[in-house]
Amino acid sequence: MAKLEVVENQAAYVLHSRPFRDSSLLVHLLSKDHGRVNVIAKGARKQSGKRQARQPLQALLALQVDWQGRSDLKTLLRWESRSQPLMLQGDRLYSALYINELLMRLLPENDSAAELFEPYETCMKALDSNCDLQPLLRCFELNLLTALGYGLDFEHSEGDAPIHSDGYYYWQTSGLFIPAGNRNNAYRGEHLMAIEQRDFSDSAVLLCAKQLMRQVFDHLLDHKPLKTREFVRQMQQQSVGVSKHD
């Protein structure tokens, strides 16, 4: 029989939750020391007694938790809110859900990914402020790629040749950049160098980073669409439809 694992006083965020059996929830957590963990919150859907005072176990909630279990699916023993729920709306809410979906799709269960928790928490707090969304998202995407062992080499192209600021490059699914024969759909070297430094002060660099991250993550996701992205697209189409009839 597998050894019983008991974890106490672990900081975590709810990535996603859904009903499980009659009154419980299956909750996907991003924890500080244990990475992505799946837990069963028994009776969490019952709103009676002590549970009435708790925040529902919904996405983006910051928690302090205890759990135990012998398998990959743990039992949540205790949970308490660490802070007030994030009051996100519009693009900021969609951005947070986009990040959560990336983690759900790409981060292996029980992979410690300790280097990812702090950037995630920083990102969530920043989304709750007036920060510029696009640089924030690009920085987190780069952090996620590093945590997945897929960090990009912005200094060298294929064959270990240096990337030149005035050169143009294509990204390959092998993770390497190769010199481009022309500028069409290619990334400029100086923009790649700026991305490595997380310097998004130039709008051209920010656009380059967005296009590159879309290409890389589409590959990692096997070109299967993100539900968050599809939802945003539908909302935008509905908004256009409403405006045409105003």
Side-chain angles (χ1 to χ4, degrees):
M1 181 179 293
K3 181 180 178 181
L4 179 66
E5 178 189 43
V6 179
V7 175
E8 297 179 331
N9 295 317
Q10 182 72 193
Y13 278 87
V14 178
L15 297 177
H16 185 263
S17 65
R18 60 182 175 85
F20 183 80
R21 296 181 178 171
D22 292 337
S23 61
S24 301
L25 286 172
L26 173 58
V27 185
H28 306 278
L29 300 173
L30 179 67
S31 64
K32 183 176 181 179
D33 300 317
H34 299 265
R36 189 165 77 83
V37 179
N38 296 334
V39 299
I40 298 296
K42 294 182 178 180
R45 292 158 61 200
K46 290 182 179 179
Q47 294 298 314
S48 61
K50 186 178 179 180
R51 288 194 176 91
Q52 286 183 326
R54 293 180 178 177
Q55 289 288 341
L57 286 168
Q58 58 191 14
L60 310 180
L61 189 63
L63 300 174
Q64 200 76 18
V65 299
D66 301 342
W67 73 70
Q68 69 176 24
R70 299 181 187 275
S71 66
D72 289 340
L73 185 59
K74 314 298 184 184
T75 298
L76 190 61
L77 302 176
R78 178 187 67 88
W79 70 92
E80 295 178 359
S81 297
R82 290 191 293 123
S83 61
Q84 292 296 317
L86 297 175
M87 304 301 291
L88 303 179
Q89 296 180 343
D91 289 344
R92 295 183 180 277
L93 176 59
Y94 300 146
S95 296
L97 296 178
Y98 162 75
I99 288 172
N100 279 10
E101 188 174 2
L102 282 181
L103 294 175
M104 288 285 295
R105 294 274 297 272
L106 295 174
L107 193 63
E109 294 177 24
N110 301 309
D111 184 329
S112 63
E115 72 274 24
L116 200 55
F117 184 84
E118 185 175 341
Y120 177 89
E121 185 163 58
T122 299
C123 189
M124 291 300 111
K125 291 178 179 178
L127 284 172
D128 205 22
S129 68
N130 293 322
C131 69
D132 193 348
L133 278 179
Q134 292 302 316
L136 182 68
L137 291 175
R138 302 295 82 82
C139 285
F140 185 81
E141 288 166 339
L142 290 167
N143 287 329
L144 177 55
L145 290 177
T146 299
L148 293 172
Y150 207 82
L152 302 180
D153 184 354
F154 291 102
E155 296 182 354
H156 303 92
S157 62
E158 191 176 47
D160 208 32
I163 287 180
H164 298 285
S165 61
D166 58 351
Y168 286 84
Y169 301 87
Y170 295 129
W171 178 80
Q172 291 187 308
T173 55
S174 63
L176 297 174
F177 291 98
I178 61 171
N182 56 63
R183 299 183 181 185
N184 294 335
N185 300 315
Y187 302 111
R188 186 170 173 82
E190 65 176 329
H191 294 164
L192 297 177
M193 293 175 178
I195 293 171
E196 182 184 30
Q197 298 300 319
R198 315 282 176 104
D199 180 2
F200 300 113
S201 55
D202 186 335
S203 60
V205 173
L206 195 56
L207 178 60
C208 174
K210 183 175 183 178
Q211 293 171 338
L212 176 60
M213 292 299 100
R214 174 70 68 93
Q215 185 181 7
V216 173
F217 280 105
D218 279 352
H219 167 66
L220 294 178
L221 293 165
D222 293 326
H223 300 280
K224 296 177 182 177
L226 290 166
K227 293 180 180 179
T228 309
R229 192 175 290 161
E230 290 296 310
F231 176 74
V232 171
R233 186 178 293 114
Q234 291 174 9
M235 293 297 292
Q236 290 173 340
Q237 290 174 347
Q238 290 177 9
S239 177
V240 170
V242 170
S243 64
K244 286 182 178 179
H245 291 85
D246 285 347

